[in-house]
Amino acid sequence: MIMSEQQFNLMKVIYNGLFLDFPLKYREAACKEFSWSIPTFYRKMRKSRRSLELVGGFSIAEWQILEQIGHNVITNLTQAYQTEMTKYKRLLDNNNRNI
């Protein structure tokens, strides 16, 4: 069986798997961690009028948690991307052998 372009489009895999998923996964993880609703998440993203002692309107602890959430989301998406790419490379190798 030869894989068609519809079955595998590298640009689509990269764009959808990494760049479209990141904001959604980050929002989901932050909302879960802090028990925020989606509107609260977006309100928190707006520029804060709070004290300059806080990092972007967040305490240092909150800032560190948000940073860790971002790191975890990127790591998980990268691992999922690498798994998908390994699968597709195997399919491509098998298709090339069958030609």
Side-chain angles (χ1 to χ4, degrees):
M1 177 182 143
I2 297 176
M3 192 175 357
S4 71
E5 187 175 325
Q6 285 182 327
Q7 291 170 310
F8 177 72
N9 181 320
L10 179 60
M11 285 181 65
K12 188 174 183 178
V13 169
I14 293 170
Y15 187 78
N16 289 342
L18 294 177
F19 300 110
L20 287 183
D21 280 352
F22 177 76
L24 299 175
K25 299 284 185 189
Y26 182 77
R27 184 187 71 199
E28 288 172 4
C31 286
K32 182 178 179 180
E33 178 69 30
F34 293 105
S35 299
W36 292 340
S37 66
I38 292 173
T40 298
F41 173 85
Y42 286 108
R43 277 193 301 276
K44 296 278 188 178
M45 280 190 7
R46 284 191 237 147
K47 187 174 181 178
S48 174
R49 294 185 182 120
R50 292 178 68 187
S51 169
L52 294 177
E53 295 173 12
L54 301 177
V55 180
F58 296 100
S59 70
I60 298 298
E62 290 170 326
W63 189 86
Q64 290 172 337
I65 292 169
L66 289 167
E67 182 183 28
Q68 186 61 47
I69 289 169
H71 175 77
N72 292 345
V73 170
I74 288 171
T75 300
N76 292 340
L77 287 174
T78 301
Q79 289 172 348
Y81 166 77
Q82 289 171 341
T83 299
E84 287 298 305
M85 289 309 299
T86 300
K87 180 176 77 174
Y88 289 126
K89 285 177 184 177
R90 284 188 193 129
L91 287 171
L92 287 172
D93 287 344
N94 289 338
N95 284 339
N96 288 336
R97 286 188 203 125
N98 293 333
I99 294 178

